[in-house]
Amino acid sequence: MAYRFVHAADIHLDSPLRSLALRDPALADLIGNATRRAFVRIIDLCLDEQVDALLLAGDLYDGDQTSMKTARFLAEELRRLHEAGIRVFVIRGNHDALSRISRELILPDSVKLFGGRAEVIAIEREASQFPVAIHGLSFAQPHAPESLLGKYRPPVEGAVNIGLMHTSLAGAPGHDLYSPCSLADLQGTGFRYWALGHVHKRSVVESGCAIVMPGMPQGRDINEAGAKSVTLVTIGDDRSIWIEERVTSIAQFERVTVDATGIDDWRDLVTALARALEQARGHVASEHLVARLRVTGTTPLAWRIRRDLDLLKTEADDRASVIGSCWVEKLEVDCRAPGAIVGASADPLTELRRLIDEEVIGSDAYQAEIAGIAEELRTQLPQECRGLLGSDEEAFKSTIAALARDGSEDVLARLHAGAEGGVS
């Protein structure tokens, strides 16, 4: 009697992993395949739970995807649901609005791809079962700056109405406005459940109208950290709704901090890194941990950590491989040597740091010079890599400022090494 479905969004099949590919091709291969493996898990979940439908609320693809390998993969997975009698309802979002596959691929009759005009599908059910109506509307273009809510059909009287929409709601950090609307607007539609997509962070509002943003089933970088999931929904005989989160991510990005305060032996530092990775791995719900390690604190090893960061990264990679299903995506350093406090002593390197921090990095001339260098470098990068320095002006300035700070610390570390070795 109940009606059950899996709600997923923002799968981004075959999303390019530009920054990972530059740093670690093997890790990029793992994450690149993880989106497909997560999709397989979604299909498996539908089959295991014997649901009635799978709802995909946009951005199944990452762009104008033309790969026939991807088309075949998708067709094979959806055929598994077709053979089990499970229907699929799909809308296109901003990333796959122009996807040729979603427009041209011949899908099983059990798959409904909503077009650029709102439609409502009445689900055929037994006479004794409550009626269900699925509403959907795809993006016709990659941008939808105005709300699409007014274009949806009215709720079907007497039915449990379920809507699919790709929307940024009232806005979210890191997301442009797409088909903006408020929770109150959605709650006022008379629908029982809104299956949303676009924002990659999970959120659930349960009231007379359940409004669910499932997040994404697989993160792609450190900014999409944490376990990723889909939503399993059961509408009971009394039309009450049960919402369950089901983890689907293959690899889980996490930030792992190691406090090096008081550590003065390199071996002890490596042991601390290994211990932090092992503890983090034990708390991860996904098959793989992909960690961004950050070493902090006050330690006599601060200069050496900066100087030999590549060696420390290799040590961390080695320990991660021993732990198993554990990767170090990047190693960051925010350490200071004891006494290396601005203005604390006559140490020439401390004084040099003060000059750099207070009189160089913040100066207009320096900012203009480094921005010019970075801009020239960006123009020489391939088009698909130019976003590495920031997707807008604010992000660009933040990125080059961080690079300047890191660069100055690296220079100071090498000067310190030279001073210790008696180099003038």
Side-chain angles (χ1 to χ4, degrees):
M1 296 292 290
Y3 189 78
R4 306 180 77 223
F5 59 90
V6 170
H7 166 204
D10 301 288
I11 296 167
H12 293 280
L13 284 174
D14 299 339
S15 176
L17 304 166
R18 303 179 185 105
S19 58
L20 274 181
L22 289 173
R23 290 200 297 268
D24 190 335
L27 180 55
D29 184 60
L30 168 70
I31 304 303
N33 288 325
T35 54
R36 290 194 182 198
R37 292 178 60 193
F39 188 73
V40 172
R41 283 190 172 179
I42 295 171
I43 303 301
D44 289 342
L45 175 63
C46 291
L47 296 172
D48 292 343
E49 294 290 340
Q50 299 181 339
V51 299
D52 297 285
L54 169 63
L55 277 55
L56 299 174
D59 288 356
L60 176 57
Y61 308 105
D62 197 68
D64 184 12
Q65 183 61 257
T66 58
S67 167
M68 292 314 297
K69 182 179 179 181
T70 301
R72 181 177 178 182
F73 164 78
L74 182 63
E76 289 174 349
E77 292 302 317
L78 294 180
R79 191 175 299 116
R80 293 170 62 199
L81 297 183
H82 176 73
E83 292 171 353
I86 298 173
R87 298 199 63 178
V88 181
F89 298 91
V90 187
I91 60 172
R92 294 193 303 268
N94 56 297
H95 278 274
D96 57 359
L98 302 179
S99 170
R100 295 179 183 176
I101 288 181
S102 62
R103 290 176 182 272
E104 299 175 7
L105 181 63
I106 298 176
L107 298 171
D109 294 338
S110 56
V111 179
K112 170 59 181 177
L113 173 61
F114 289 94
R117 298 183 66 180
E119 297 179 73
V120 55
I121 306 297
I123 306 300
E124 294 183 4
R125 308 192 80 209
E126 299 292 336
S128 60
Q129 297 176 324
F130 57 79
V132 174
I134 309 289
H135 300 249
L137 172 63
S138 286
F139 278 27
Q141 299 295 329
H143 298 284
E146 304 296 330
S147 175
L148 299 177
L149 187 58
K151 297 184 178 181
Y152 279 73
R153 300 285 186 88
V156 176
E157 187 175 354
V160 171
N161 289 270
I162 300 169
L164 283 86
M165 178 184 288
H166 202 75
T167 173
S168 59
L169 290 174
H175 294 270
D176 293 331
L177 283 177
Y178 287 96
S179 180
C181 61
S182 70
L183 293 176
D185 292 336
L186 294 173
Q187 290 167 338
T189 59
F191 285 27
R192 192 69 181 85
Y193 184 98
W194 274 104
L196 306 183
H198 183 65
V199 180
H200 293 175
K201 184 176 180 180
R202 179 178 175 81
S203 66
V204 177
V205 175
E206 296 188 64
S207 60
C209 171
I211 302 171
V212 178
M213 190 77 73
M216 62 194 316
Q218 173 58 56
R220 298 167 296 170
D221 57 43
I222 193 62
N223 296 315
E224 295 168 344
K228 301 303 177 184
S229 60
V230 298
T231 301
L232 174 63
V233 181
T234 301
I235 303 177
D237 297 341
D238 59 355
R239 305 196 183 198
S240 60
I241 295 182
W242 288 270
I243 297 171
E244 303 175 56
E245 181 182 11
R246 295 296 182 91
V247 173
T248 53
S249 48
I250 305 298
Q252 184 170 328
F253 288 86
E254 294 290 350
R255 298 179 187 273
V256 179
T257 300
V258 180
D259 186 357
T261 299
I263 297 177
D264 58 6
D265 181 84
W266 188 262
R267 288 179 179 272
D268 291 342
L269 175 64
V270 173
T271 299
L273 263 63
R275 187 182 303 114
L277 285 172
E278 191 168 6
Q279 290 176 348
R281 181 68 190 89
H283 290 92
V284 163
S286 305
E287 184 179 330
H288 293 265
L289 165 66
V290 182
R292 176 167 291 191
L293 277 174
R294 185 174 183 83
V295 185
T296 64
T298 302
T299 168
L301 297 174
W303 297 114
R304 184 180 174 187
I305 292 171
R306 280 279 179 185
R307 185 192 67 191
D308 297 334
L309 190 60
D310 55 345
L311 175 59
L312 189 58
K313 172 64 163 58
T314 300
E315 295 277 16
D317 288 338
D318 178 66
R319 299 313 187 274
S321 67
V322 172
I323 293 170
S325 299
C326 183
W327 304 73
V328 178
E329 174 257 358
K330 188 177 182 181
L331 182 59
E332 297 178 334
V333 180
D334 186 19
C335 290
R336 289 293 175 93
I341 303 172
V342 173
S345 72
D347 175 25
L349 289 179
T350 299
E351 177 62 16
L352 180 57
R353 172 187 274 119
R354 186 194 67 76
L355 290 172
I356 291 173
D357 289 346
E358 297 181 6
E359 300 184 26
V360 178
I361 290 182
S363 68
D364 292 340
Y366 179 83
Q367 290 292 325
E369 180 70 17
I370 195 172
I373 294 172
E375 190 59 57
E376 182 179 354
L377 173 63
R378 182 159 61 175
T379 61
Q380 296 178 28
L381 290 172
Q383 182 66 39
E384 64 271 16
C385 295
R386 292 180 184 176
L388 294 176
L389 293 177
S391 56
D392 54 40
E393 184 177 359
E394 183 178 349
F396 176 70
K397 289 181 178 179
S398 177
T399 299
I400 62 175
L403 290 172
R405 288 193 299 271
D406 285 345
S408 67
E409 290 293 336
D410 289 342
V411 169
L412 288 167
R414 293 184 180 280
L415 288 174
H416 186 272
E420 285 187 329
V423 179
S424 59

